[in-house]
Amino acid sequence: MKRLAFIAVAGVALTGCTERQTVQTGYVPSASFAALAAPATIFADNDAAIAHYLASVGRRSPSDREVNDFPGARGSQLLLFSAEGLEDDAVRDMQWRLLIEQAEAGIRVKEAGLRQRCRRSGNSEWTTTPCP
């Protein structure tokens, strides 16, 4: 009986460790975002790439920004940034996910994605569906 209790407790402890590791990495999968066409432009740096996307909502700087090395792709980084509190009656916040790589004269966007939080839906979760 003691063995079964130990196995059950160990299983719960391991599950908790796994969840914490996922949170610590900050990795957000591309499936959580609607795919955008990556621009053919080579940007001078991360800030220039971010500014390219923020211009569409009239912002110069992000509300939030996170940069991480992308697992499994040497020299690639994952940029996650958002524009919050938009002056739009449908979309409250927008968040972009860019997978970038070093290019000869700067950086290139390999993948781009977008998701948003809707103002009128009563739900504060990120979504890829159009806001009502």
Side-chain angles (χ1 to χ4, degrees):
M1 187 64 135
K2 287 183 182 179
R3 279 188 188 167
L4 289 177
F6 174 76
I7 291 170
V9 170
V12 170
L14 288 174
T15 301
C17 291
T18 302
E19 289 173 2
R20 272 186 248 126
Q21 287 176 351
T22 302
V23 171
Q24 288 175 352
T25 64
Y27 176 74
V28 180
S30 61
S32 299
F33 293 80
L36 298 173
T41 307
I42 300 294
F43 297 100
D45 54 24
N46 292 356
D47 291 334
I50 290 171
H52 170 81
Y53 289 93
L54 289 176
S56 68
V57 293
R59 295 282 177 97
R60 291 179 179 238
S61 60
S63 304
D64 256 338
R65 172 187 172 146
E66 184 179 325
V67 180
N68 291 304
D69 289 337
F70 189 71
R74 188 176 180 170
S76 293
Q77 290 185 316
L78 189 64
L79 303 179
L80 189 65
F81 58 96
S82 62
E84 297 175 358
L86 297 173
E87 294 182 21
D88 184 296
D89 61 344
V91 179
R92 184 178 71 204
D93 308 316
M94 295 177 86
Q95 188 174 62
W96 291 264
R97 178 189 184 276
L98 305 181
L99 177 58
I100 61 168
E101 68 180 359
Q102 283 299 132
E104 231 175 84
I107 62 162
R108 175 187 351 266
V109 176
K110 290 176 61 174
E111 290 179 19
L114 174 69
R115 63 185 181 178
Q116 65 268 339
R117 286 187 181 135
C118 300
R119 189 171 300 282
R120 296 182 293 227
S121 68
N123 186 349
S124 64
E125 298 295 317
W126 290 108
T127 183
T128 58
T129 59
C131 293

